[in-house]
Amino acid sequence: MSPSQRDPSRSTIAGAASGYLSNVSNFKIIESTLREGEQFANAFFTTEKKIEIAKALDDFGVEYLELTSPAASTQSYNDCKAIANLGLKAKILTHVRCHMDDAKLAVETGVDGLDVVIGTSSYLREFSHGKDMQYIIDTATEVIQYIKGQGLEVRFSSEDSFRSDIVDLLNLYRAVDKLGVNRVGIADTVGCASPDQVAELVRTLRGIVSCDIECHFHNDTNCAIANAYAALQNGATHVDTSVLGIGERNGIPSLGGFIARMYAADKEYVKSKYNLTKLREIENLVADAVGVSVPFNNPITGYCAFTHKAGIHAKAILNNPSTYEILKPEDFGMTRYVAIGHRLTGWNAVKNRVDQLSLGLSDADCKRITAKIKNLADIRPLSLDDVDKLLRKYGEAMVDDSHHAILDSIDTPDQITHM
């Protein structure tokens, strides 16, 4: 198969996502902007803003929306009820402690399911709730049976899973699986796990439970998306995300970053599930709500995501975008930009701009102008307006054969600006 025939979004490394446990092409997103995201330092969402975000995420196509526990505050309770009654396509979940009072309050709100959690590491058992593993299993049994008796979906998750005793952890998951939970969850609560550790735990867990497996990864060591991908490769089925990754401390996998990773693994599957052109709108909505900017290097929507600068890159991109792009910007409603007003520019990029402006300059002319741009850009970068002005002045001067003189007369970028 020639490079032109091959799907450029797929790795050529054999077995990249083809293991028998892999759910890379069969996963669901539990979108937690309205739960984990509320724990972001800057976050305060009014009811109206929560509804706006919920509707936007539903339009995007996420399968689940996770909301702050109704036990957190009166308004949190009311917000759960309001969003649960919107009639969205996404299932509405709320995140609660493994406690009967919390579970009963959550059921009252009309949500579709409860995400139940309790700390299992020695740190949390000693310094948080102070309970032993038998107490945890007994309480989990009571809470899970109650939720199932209400006909609701239930996930049971340990907290701080990767610092928990593996024997304790597996015994707990085996016990709740027998109770018929829809999902068990693992949580890298402090962001300490590596993809290898994730792969090993999920693979082990997949061998002892029959239910689905949800994963929640914090980004303290910048591994959250890689860990989510490793989890799916080894049998996990559900991944928690938030818009722009907002959450406690450094947050969790960003919705956009996770989508980019999964698109690269199976483009057609991701395109069939999610309304990708809505991503930028959702990120701008949440960024504005929490008072931050979308990062310059944000996957897909950052202003540098599809910007090409180096000359050899620009030439290849202009011939075939797949040479330096694993994501197709048009699939996300984005456009690529080839920067040309800098010292690294190449004449192919300049010629492409000449053609866009219909100036009819020769290759030799483009090479002369490129040399001038490089010289001027050693002083400072040129804006696109500067480059366009230089190209047009050069083209106009060809009428009286003064185009070479025009180039020779320009020694600084400011001269172009004031032409």
Side-chain angles (χ1 to χ4, degrees):
M1 182 181 292
S2 70
S4 62
Q5 296 172 310
R6 187 182 302 126
D7 180 352
S9 72
R10 300 302 297 269
S11 170
T12 58
I13 306 300
S18 60
Y20 73 96
L21 292 175
S22 177
N23 284 312
V24 164
S25 298
N26 185 29
F27 62 85
K28 292 180 172 64
I29 292 174
I30 296 178
E31 225 302 317
S32 191
T33 299
L34 297 177
R35 197 284 293 179
E36 179 70 46
E38 276 214 285
Q39 296 173 222
F40 175 58
N42 283 11
F44 174 78
F45 301 130
T46 63
T47 301
E48 293 73 22
K49 186 59 66 176
K50 285 184 180 182
I51 290 173
E52 186 179 4
I53 292 169
K55 289 180 176 178
L57 288 166
D58 192 53
D59 286 344
F60 180 79
V62 299
E63 292 86 355
Y64 293 87
L65 294 174
E66 185 181 57
L67 311 181
T68 295
S69 170
S73 72
T74 301
Q75 194 57 52
S76 297
Y77 176 89
N78 292 335
D79 290 345
C80 265
K81 291 188 72 172
I83 294 173
N85 288 320
L86 289 176
L88 302 179
K89 297 183 294 295
K91 289 186 176 182
I92 308 302
L93 309 173
T94 187
H95 186 269
V96 298
R97 296 171 298 182
C98 187
H99 193 285
M100 281 297 293
D101 290 345
D102 285 19
K104 289 178 179 179
L105 200 62
V107 168
E108 291 177 6
T109 65
V111 296
D112 298 302
L114 277 64
D115 288 343
V116 178
V117 65
I118 191 166
T120 51
S121 71
S122 59
Y123 295 95
L124 296 182
R125 283 157 55 191
E126 181 177 354
F127 299 110
S128 181
H129 55 70
K131 309 299 183 183
D132 63 21
M133 287 304 299
Q134 189 57 53
Y135 174 90
I136 290 172
I137 292 175
D138 291 343
T139 305
T141 299
E142 180 187 18
V143 171
I144 290 166
Q145 288 178 337
Y146 168 74
I147 297 168
K148 284 180 61 62
Q150 304 302 309
L152 300 184
E153 193 168 307
V154 58
R155 178 221 69 189
F156 182 86
S157 179
S158 60
E159 187 181 15
D160 204 9
S161 310
F162 289 88
R163 295 193 299 173
S164 298
D165 179 85
I166 187 65
V167 174
D168 288 343
L169 206 58
L170 297 181
N171 284 336
L172 175 61
Y173 286 133
R174 188 180 288 110
V176 298
D177 183 46
K178 288 178 180 177
L179 294 171
V181 296
N182 298 85
R183 297 182 305 285
V184 292
I186 62 171
D188 183 19
T189 306
V190 297
C192 64
S194 69
D196 286 347
Q197 290 172 307
V198 170
E200 182 176 1
L201 179 56
V202 174
R203 198 161 50 239
T204 301
L205 184 55
R206 181 72 285 165
I208 69 163
V209 299
S210 58
C211 62
D212 286 339
I213 300 173
E214 178 184 338
C215 293
H216 182 88
F217 297 108
H218 276 264
N219 205 35
D220 300 71
T221 58
N222 209 30
C223 286
I225 291 173
N227 284 343
Y229 188 68
L232 291 176
Q233 284 183 305
N234 288 276
T237 55
H238 296 63
V239 170
D240 296 3
T241 70
S242 68
V243 177
L244 297 176
I246 62 171
E248 191 79 25
R249 304 183 315 279
N250 282 356
I252 63 173
S254 67
L255 175 63
F258 177 71
I259 286 292
R261 173 59 265 176
M262 303 319 297
Y263 175 103
D266 192 338
K267 176 176 64 177
E268 295 307 320
Y269 177 69
V270 171
K271 287 172 63 178
S272 72
K273 280 168 65 77
Y274 304 111
N275 191 351
L276 301 181
T277 60
K278 295 286 188 180
L279 183 61
R280 178 165 56 175
E281 176 185 330
I282 294 169
E283 291 186 339
N284 287 338
L285 170 65
V286 173
D288 182 65
V290 299
V292 300
S293 299
V294 175
F296 73 92
N297 60 344
N298 200 52
I300 302 170
T301 60
Y303 81 84
C304 290
F306 298 108
T307 296
H308 303 275
K309 184 174 179 179
I312 57 172
H313 284 225
K315 178 181 179 181
I317 279 288
L318 294 169
N319 287 329
N320 183 343
S322 296
T323 50
Y324 285 102
E325 286 178 351
I326 199 65
L327 313 176
K328 292 180 68 174
E330 54 268 34
D331 284 347
F332 302 91
M334 305 295 289
T335 56
R336 73 181 53 84
Y337 172 64
V338 178
I340 59 176
H342 52 86
R343 62 173 63 138
L344 305 180
T345 196
W347 76 271
N348 287 282
V350 173
K351 179 174 174 56
N352 177 256
R353 187 59 180 169
V354 166
D355 292 342
Q356 289 175 352
L357 297 174
S358 301
L359 296 178
L361 304 182
S362 68
D363 289 357
D365 290 323
C366 292
K367 289 175 181 178
R368 290 191 193 97
I369 297 169
T370 300
K372 174 58 69 173
I373 290 172
K374 284 175 169 287
N375 289 337
L376 296 173
D378 271 338
I379 300 171
R380 69 161 172 81
L382 279 65
S383 68
L384 185 59
D385 284 344
D386 287 341
V387 173
D388 287 353
K389 190 178 289 187
L390 178 61
L391 294 174
R392 288 192 173 102
K393 287 292 182 181
Y394 185 93
E396 292 166 2
M398 291 182 71
V399 175
D400 60 8
D401 206 33
S402 62
H403 48 297
H404 292 167
I406 285 285
L407 284 187
D408 292 340
S409 69
I410 298 172
D411 298 313
T412 70
D414 289 343
Q415 287 177 264
I416 301 175
T417 303
H418 298 108
M419 286 175 74

